[in-house]
Amino acid sequence: MTASTVPPPAVRTGRRLPRRPRLGAPQRVFDTTFSGVGLTMAAWFFALSLLPSLLPRGAAVQGVASGVTVMIGYGFGATCQWLWRYLGIPAVPGRARRVLVLVLVGLGLWAAVFTGWRQVGWQNEIRTLYGMEPSSPSTWPVIIGVTVALTVLILVVSRSLRLLFRTVFGWLGRRLPRRVAVVVGSAVLLALIWSLLTGVLVNGFFTVANAIFAPRDTLIAEDMNRPQVPERSGSPQSLSSWELLGRQGRYFVGGGPTVAELDRANGGGAKEPIRVYAGLRSADTVQGRADLLLAELKRSGAFSRKVLVVATTTGTGFLDQNGTDPLEFLWNGDTAIGGVQYSYLPSWISLLADQDAVRETSRVVFDTVHTYWATLPEASRPKLYLYGLSLGSFGVESILGSINVINEPVDGALMSGPPFVNELHARLTAGREPGSPAYLPVYEKGRTVRFTAEQDGLGRGGATWGPTRLVYLQHASDPIVFFSPSMAFAEPEWLKDGQRGPDVSPRMGWFPIVTMWQVLLDLPGAGSIPMGYGHLYSATANLESWVAVTQPPDWTPERTATLASILEKRPYKDT
């Protein structure tokens, strides 16, 4: 045997050397062959994934954003390369092709390196704006690790699906004409995948979520204060059981300002604020819970107060203290607030699962309370208002669209952080007056509805505000308000020149699909940043809104400022 016929060591020992990555069309799931155009686009999309969005991103969230965005870019590039070859378009010849490849790859790598270098600085610009601690380059190992793990996972799943399609096409192709086999196979597989995603996986997700959050609703924590006064649900005199109020209901009825706090703030004469509530387990039906709430309102003397608020809760039954406490301070306790729970799920899940539940609950509860309220003498009954934060504002809009409100109008409504599913909010924003920005519109000169933020914007529109006043309190940096699936292919108005809010990064831009995905990732973290940004609305902003909506007699801006300073010193309890 000559030296030239001696096999290499790997063959002689029975082991195969690992194949090096190469360019081309991969044939197997774990093939180390990749699309050259796909890799080039992946580098560009990785650079885009590092650009700022509405909220600051932690390392793990940035890794998820980059991982998915990289695979979007790779899939787009690989598809373009396949389509080019499928259509038979001639490739760029010889030297010109090599130069083109070098330029595109070089620019992609430069963009990835440049944005990677700037990423920490861009994130810290937003953090500084929000008063958060800066991050450091030490986050990069986590970002890279999560990005790589996610891209590998998505690549394996994508190639597995491609193998499944090819297998089905091959099996049908032995029985049907090739093109018919492709059409039939694609239709059947896409229908099955869609059913799996929207049926089994979605229903499974909601089932697991309910199993996780429902037991939490029954826990009675040490910091829950069971009320002893008759003006509160859950008290010994109450018709609504303390144990059945639910976690957020117990926090609501046991919280709020005391009479002593109100007296100190307003100089005396305070009343015990009325807070009534019906938990999801308090009755078997929506109507049963609405009837219980009405009975509690009657029992507690709510219809003899000056202000009555029907409040729609968020998914877990939460009523924000920054939305309720300012009203009670403003009216020195001469108020009644009632709410009904409709879900156990956090709002970001309820937003997807409970739209019908919040719509039905809001309308049934309001109709029940309003029907009784309308029978009372107009001169002595309380002013009737609506309040809702987040998905609760969706419930308020459901009430405002009902025929009963047209026949017997409410006196006003405050809607904070209206989510992107709110149809009325979307129509008002689209129909705003020319020159008013998308993040803070002016609609019909502010005659009925006005928009505001942390910087009081309720004076915009002039002195034409009528007796029934609707207010939307929203931050330009709140992704729950400004997310939209349409961002995948159209630049949102709130990112255009002259439309951007003061709490939105000037470096945030729009890119097809990428920006939508980034803002979608902002949704779960919208309530985990400092007060006054994202989905956290300050006591001061709520106070200014309630002053405008309820119009207390002989009120002055100086009194607003005094109450605001008191409210901001009170601890915010995140329940």
Side-chain angles (χ1 to χ4, degrees), residues 502-525:
D503 46 341
V504 176
S505 170
R507 301 185 189 278
M508 182 180 180
W510 175 78
F511 300 93
I513 300 178
V514 175
T515 302
M516 184 204 73
W517 165 243
Q518 289 177 320
V519 177
L520 180 65
L521 272 183
D522 286 335
L523 293 178

Side-chain angles (χ1 to χ4, degrees), residues 225-289:
N225 303 312
R226 182 178 183 182
Q228 300 300 313
V229 295
E231 290 85 358
R232 302 295 177 102
S233 290
S235 66
Q237 303 88 346
S238 173
L239 304 173
S240 190
S241 166
W242 170 254
E243 289 75 17
L244 300 182
L245 282 177
R247 181 172 180 270
Q248 296 295 353
R250 285 188 286 273
Y251 276 120
F252 170 64
V253 299
T258 64
V259 172
E261 285 181 291
L262 295 174
D263 280 336
R264 285 194 298 271
N266 294 302
K271 294 183 177 181
E272 180 70 47
I274 293 174
R275 291 189 173 197
V276 296
Y277 196 90
L280 189 58
R281 295 178 295 122
S282 297
D284 294 332
T285 64
V286 175
Q287 187 61 60
R289 294 188 284 275

Side-chain angles (χ1 to χ4, degrees), residues 79-139:
T79 301
C80 289
Q81 186 175 9
W82 171 85
L83 186 62
W84 185 287
R85 291 174 177 171
Y86 180 79
L87 295 176
I89 302 174
V92 178
R95 182 180 178 84
R97 181 188 179 193
R98 288 193 296 272
V99 172
L100 181 61
V101 168
L102 286 173
V103 170
L104 291 177
V105 171
L107 288 175
L109 291 175
W110 173 84
V113 171
F114 175 77
T115 54
W117 176 63
R118 294 297 309 275
Q119 188 265 349
V120 174
W122 288 336
Q123 289 297 313
N124 283 340
E125 287 178 358
I126 305 178
R127 289 175 174 271
T128 300
L129 176 65
Y130 292 1
M132 301 173 66
E133 291 293 325
S135 61
S136 70
S138 62
T139 59

Side-chain angles (χ1 to χ4, degrees), residues 229-232 255-275 300-308 324-337 380-382:
V229 295
E231 290 85 358
R232 302 295 177 102
T258 64
V259 172
E261 285 181 291
L262 295 174
D263 280 336
R264 285 194 298 271
N266 294 302
K271 294 183 177 181
E272 180 70 47
I274 293 174
R275 291 189 173 197
S300 60
F303 293 100
S304 64
R305 295 298 175 95
K306 289 182 179 178
V307 170
L308 170 62
T324 56
D325 292 11
L327 179 75
E328 293 167 336
F329 271 96
L330 180 63
W331 285 90
N332 208 21
D334 201 1
T335 59
I337 304 174
S380 59
R381 70 189 181 191

Side-chain angles (χ1 to χ4, degrees), residues 315-547:
T316 58
F318 173 67
L319 287 172
D320 184 21
Q321 72 175 66
N322 280 355
T324 56
D325 292 11
L327 179 75
E328 293 167 336
F329 271 96
L330 180 63
W331 285 90
N332 208 21
D334 201 1
T335 59
I337 304 174
V340 173
Q341 183 185 15
Y342 55 83
S343 174
Y344 301 121
L345 301 176
S347 285
W348 67 274
I349 303 178
S350 289
L351 199 61
L352 305 174
D354 292 324
Q355 290 184 32
D356 290 338
V358 67
R359 186 183 290 111
E360 179 188 10
T361 300
S362 301
R363 289 178 176 175
V364 171
V365 170
F366 176 78
D367 286 346
T368 301
V369 174
H370 182 270
T371 298
Y372 176 78
W373 173 85
T375 65
L376 302 176
E378 187 173 352
S380 59
R381 70 189 181 191
K383 298 289 187 180
L384 182 59
Y385 299 96
L386 304 174
Y387 167 71
L389 166 70
S390 192
L391 194 56
S393 73
F394 178 83
V396 173
E397 284 196 1
S398 300
I399 296 169
L400 293 175
S402 69
I403 188 65
N404 287 334
V405 176
I406 295 175
N407 290 336
E408 192 76 50
V410 295
D411 292 285
L414 171 58
M415 293 164 279
S416 301
F420 59 91
V421 296
N422 283 23
E423 295 180 1
L424 176 60
H425 178 267
R427 290 200 302 271
L428 295 172
T429 303
R432 69 187 185 278
E433 293 185 7
S436 64
Y439 81 92
L440 211 59
V442 173
Y443 182 79
E444 291 186 348
K445 301 187 183 302
R447 280 192 288 269
T448 302
V449 58
R450 295 192 181 186
F451 296 76
T452 188
E454 293 299 318
Q455 303 77 22
D456 187 1
L458 294 171
R460 297 157 66 251
T464 57
W465 210 350
T468 300
R469 299 184 172 191
L470 311 180
V471 168
Y472 283 100
L473 173 58
Q474 59 187 48
H475 295 150
S477 57
D478 190 346
I480 292 177
V481 177
F482 291 104
F483 172 79
S484 171
S486 65
M487 283 194 293
F489 303 106
E491 181 180 9
E493 291 186 299
W494 51 268
L495 270 181
K496 294 180 179 179
D497 292 342
Q499 304 285 316
R500 191 183 303 254
D503 46 341
V504 176
S505 170
R507 301 185 189 278
M508 182 180 180
W510 175 78
F511 300 93
I513 300 178
V514 175
T515 302
M516 184 204 73
W517 165 243
Q518 289 177 320
V519 177
L520 180 65
L521 272 183
D522 286 335
L523 293 178
S528 303
I529 57 175
M531 186 64 65
Y533 300 96
H535 204 53
L536 291 176
Y537 293 87
S538 71
T540 298
N542 277 278
L543 173 64
E544 291 169 345
S545 299
W546 278 123
V547 169

